[in-house]
């Protein structure tokens, strides 16, 4: 299991394909605050709830200066279907090799229904304008997470 990131660490850079055929490089977003969240699989109940919550909150988050990137091991084609099916308005990125997931400590051993398995650890990070981790949260809950994140960032409900 890779080491977990903490506040103050430099965010590992990445370039990943998006659901719309473009690529996104984290370092190209310097000067902006970025919320990077990792989720196990598109179109599953918990991941759908979380993606819809971020999409529903995107206008308020953008007004506060935040860009949101959701990353999963799904292929871009599946992410495009996910966006279409659920009307998502956030950027979805594909990491099928799990290299970025691993670099961010968001892939490894976790408990699933009482068993230890290897997989995506639902995690959320806030990266500041200089590319440093401002907030690192592992094993987050899909439901209610965006509201909790807003509280943690002092943004109100």
């Amino acid at each position: 299991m890779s080491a977990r990131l903490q506040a103050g660490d430099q965010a590992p850079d990445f370039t990943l394909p998006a659901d719309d055929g473009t690529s996104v490089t984290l370092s190209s977003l310097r000067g902006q605050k970025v919320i990077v969240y990792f989720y196990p699989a598109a179109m599953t109940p918990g991941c759908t709830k979380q993606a819809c919550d971020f999409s529903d909150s995107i206008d308020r988050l953008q007004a506060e200066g935040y860009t949101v990137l959701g990353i999963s091991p799904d292929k871009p084609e599946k992410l495009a279907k996910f966006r279409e099916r659920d009307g998502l308005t956030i950027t979805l990125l594909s990491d099928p090799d799990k290299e970025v997931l691993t670099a961010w400590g968001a892939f490894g051993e976790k408990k699933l229904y009482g068993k230890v398995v290897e997989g995506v650890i639902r995690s959320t990070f806030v990266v500041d304008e200089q590319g440093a981790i401002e907030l690192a949260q592992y094993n987050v809950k899909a439901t209610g997470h965006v509201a909790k994140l807003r509280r943690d960032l002092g943004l109100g409900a």
Side-chain angles (χ1 to χ4, degrees):
M1 186 163 163
S2 57
R4 293 196 165 188
L5 298 173
Q6 301 175 46
D9 290 346
Q10 193 63 26
D13 198 18
F14 59 76
T15 299
L16 290 173
D19 61 301
D20 63 2
T22 63
S23 288
V24 174
T25 300
L26 181 63
S27 59
S28 72
L29 300 173
R30 289 270 158 60
Q32 301 175 48
K33 296 177 274 190
V34 183
I35 296 169
V36 179
Y37 84 96
F38 295 92
Y39 62 98
M43 298 195 269
T44 56
C47 296
T48 299
K49 175 75 177 131
Q50 189 176 23
C52 288
D53 277 355
F54 271 115
S55 285
D56 291 346
S57 300
I58 194 65
D59 290 340
R60 289 184 299 164
L61 289 168
Q62 286 175 336
E64 298 282 352
Y66 291 92
T67 297
V68 177
L69 304 175
I71 301 175
S72 76
D74 297 304
K75 300 261 190 263
E77 301 77 29
K78 184 175 181 186
L79 297 176
K81 287 179 189 161
F82 187 30
R83 169 186 296 289
E84 178 80 20
R85 185 192 81 172
D86 293 293
L88 302 176
T89 56
I90 56 173
T91 301
L92 301 173
L93 303 176
S94 171
D95 183 24
D97 299 331
K98 303 175 188 80
E99 289 176 13
V100 174
L101 284 152
T102 301
W104 287 64
F107 187 83
E109 285 188 358
K110 64 178 187 174
K111 280 201 171 173
L112 187 66
Y113 304 113
K115 283 197 249 176
V116 175
V117 298
E118 187 171 73
V120 176
I121 299 162
R122 191 181 303 275
S123 309
T124 300
F125 304 87
V126 177
V127 180
D128 71 15
E129 295 89 341
Q130 289 76 44
I133 302 290
E134 183 179 316
L135 184 69
Q137 298 178 330
Y138 290 92
N139 299 306
V140 302
K141 302 281 183 234
T143 303
H145 176 60
V146 175
K148 180 187 181 313
L149 182 62
R150 289 184 60 78
R151 287 192 304 274
D152 292 348
L153 293 172
L155 303 177

